[in-house]
Amino acid sequence: MLHAKSESDITSLAPSSPSRSPKRPVYYVQSPSRDSHDGDKTSMQPTPSFNSPMESPLHPSFGRHSRNSSASRFSGIFRSSSGRKNGRKRNDKGWPECNVILEEGKYDEFDDDKGLTRRCQTLLALLGFVVLFSIFCLIIWGAGRPYKAEITVRSLAVNNFYVAEGSDFTGVVTKMMTVNGSLRISVYNPATFYGIHVSSTPINLVYSDIVVASGQLKKYFQPRKSRRTVLVNIEATKVPLYGAGSSLDASTNGGFKVPLKLDFEINSHGDVVGKLVRTKNKKEISCDLVIDSTSNKPIKFKKNSCVYN
C-alpha cells in the first residue's frame, strides 16, 4: 500500500538525493490576517514550490501529523475570514468593516446646561469681586476722612499801601486804593498713608464789600505727615472806592488806618486708592485786620483773629 509522502519527508530526502529533484525556487506570499496588529505592515513568508500535486500542501492526507492537513485547515480559516464568501468588505488594515450603530437623542441640552453653569459662576465671581472691592474702598475712604488738612493763617506783610484821590476810567472822581503785600499760610497734612493736593479760591482783601486786592494760591502736592508754609502775593493798583471812600480820613500824621477783611477757601484732596478712592476737604477762612499805612511791621494773626469753617 502506497502512502503519500509528507512535506517533511520530501524536505529530508531533498539533500540526500539531489539527482531525483532539482532545487526548488522560493516565492513569497502576503499574510494580512496574521500581522493585522502591526497596522499597515505586512509579512513576507517563503513558500516552496512543488513539482507534483502530491507534494502540494493542499493535497488531502489522512496522516495524523501530516503537514498538508494543517495547511489545508489554515487555508480554510483564511478563506472563511477573508470575507469573500459572506460578502464583507475589508479596510486598509485587513479588518472587516461593520455597520455603525447610531444612537437616538441629542446631547446638546447637556452642553447648554454646562455652559449656563459656567456663565453663572463667572457672573457670581465677578459680582463677588466687585462687592469685596467696594467694601475695601469704603473702609479705606472712611479711615481717610478724619485726616483733614490743618490750615493756619500766619501773617500779612504789607509792602505798599496808600489811599489817594483819583478818577476811574469814566472820569468820575473818587478815592483810589493801592495794596501790595504777601500772605503767609501754614498747611499741615496729618494723613499717615497718603499725600494731598492743595489749592485755593482767589484770596480777596475786602473793604466794605469791595475787593481792593486779590491773590491766588498755586496748586501743589504735599506729602503725608508734613507741614508746609506757603506765600501768596496779594496786590491791586488804584482800585476806585466810590462812596465807600468817604469814610476814610487821614490821621494826624498823614496816614490811613483801614479796616479790611481776608476771605478765601482752601481745598485739599487725597488719592487714597489712586483716582478710585479720594478724600476731599475744604475750609473757608475769614480774617479781620486793620492796615496802618504808616507801619511797616507784618500783621500777625492770632487764633481768634480768623474763623475756620
Side-chain angles (χ1 to χ4, degrees):
M1 182 179 180
L2 297 176
H3 296 280
K5 295 182 180 180
S6 62
E7 184 181 357
S8 59
D9 297 337
I10 297 174
T11 306
S12 61
L13 295 175
S16 60
S17 57
S19 60
R20 293 181 62 183
S21 61
K23 188 176 181 181
R24 294 184 295 273
V26 179
Y27 66 93
Y28 295 86
V29 296
Q30 183 176 357
S31 176
S33 62
R34 183 177 178 182
D35 298 319
S36 59
H37 295 287
D38 295 335
D40 295 337
K41 297 180 180 179
T42 58
S43 61
M44 306 298 290
Q45 298 177 352
T47 303
S49 60
F50 300 95
N51 297 326
S52 64
M54 295 297 294
E55 297 177 357
S56 175
L58 299 178
H59 188 270
S61 175
F62 300 97
R64 180 176 300 177
H65 301 286
S66 175
R67 294 287 299 275
N68 295 331
S69 62
S70 62
S72 63
R73 286 197 302 270
F74 283 105
S75 177
I77 294 173
F78 294 153
R79 289 175 59 86
S80 63
S81 62
S82 62
R84 294 180 181 177
K85 292 184 178 181
N86 54 12
R88 291 186 181 179
K89 297 181 180 179
R90 288 184 173 271
N91 54 16
D92 296 337
K93 295 183 179 181
W95 291 93
E97 296 182 355
C98 300
N99 294 329
V100 179
I101 300 175
L102 298 177
E103 296 184 1
E104 296 182 357
K106 296 182 179 180
Y107 296 94
D108 296 340
E109 55 185 3
F110 300 104
D111 296 338
D112 295 341
D113 294 341
K114 292 182 179 179
L116 182 61
T117 302
R118 294 193 191 97
R119 286 196 293 269
C120 290
Q121 290 177 355
T122 303
L123 291 176
L124 289 176
L126 182 60
L127 182 61
F129 172 77
V130 171
V131 171
L132 291 177
F133 184 75
S134 301
I135 293 174
F136 171 75
C137 293
L138 185 62
I139 293 173
I140 295 298
W141 175 77
R145 275 193 78 184
Y147 296 102
K148 297 181 180 180
E150 299 179 3
I151 312 297
T152 304
V153 180
R154 295 296 182 182
S155 63
L156 175 63
V158 181
N159 301 323
N160 189 10
F161 178 79
Y162 67 91
V163 178
E165 294 288 340
S167 59
D168 61 2
F169 62 94
T170 61
V172 177
V173 177
T174 182
K175 289 184 178 180
M176 314 285 288
M177 183 179 292
T178 299
V179 181
N180 186 3
S182 58
L183 182 66
R184 188 182 297 267
I185 303 173
S186 177
V187 181
Y188 174 65
N189 178 21
T192 57
F193 53 90
Y194 62 89
I196 57 175
H197 298 268
V198 182
S199 61
S200 75
T201 60
I203 301 175
N204 298 324
L205 192 60
V206 182
Y207 170 75
S208 185
D209 297 333
I210 299 175
V211 178
V212 295
S214 182
Q216 181 71 49
L217 174 65
K218 293 182 180 180
K219 185 177 180 180
Y220 70 93
F221 176 78
Q222 186 165 337
R224 59 186 180 89
K225 283 287 185 180
S226 62
R227 186 182 298 274
R228 182 173 179 178
T229 301
V230 294
L231 293 176
V232 182
N233 292 326
I234 299 176
E235 58 184 359
T237 303
K238 294 182 179 181
V239 178
L241 301 179
Y242 300 109
S246 59
S247 60
L248 293 176
D249 295 328
S251 59
T252 55
N253 56 2
F256 289 90
K257 289 184 178 181
V258 181
L260 300 173
K261 183 179 180 180
L262 274 172
D263 192 9
F264 62 99
E265 182 180 295
I266 296 291
N267 298 319
S268 64
H269 70 270
D271 297 333
V272 182
V273 183
K275 294 184 179 181
L276 296 176
V277 181
R278 285 184 172 183
T279 58
K280 294 182 180 181
N281 298 294
K282 66 178 181 179
K283 186 165 289 188
E284 297 178 357
I285 302 172
S286 178
C287 302
D288 295 328
L289 68 148
V290 177
I291 296 179
D292 188 356
S293 60
T294 61
S295 177
N296 295 326
K297 294 180 180 181
I299 301 172
K300 294 183 179 181
F301 296 94
K302 298 179 181 180
K303 291 184 178 179
N304 55 358
S305 299
C306 298
V307 178
Y308 303 91
N309 295 324

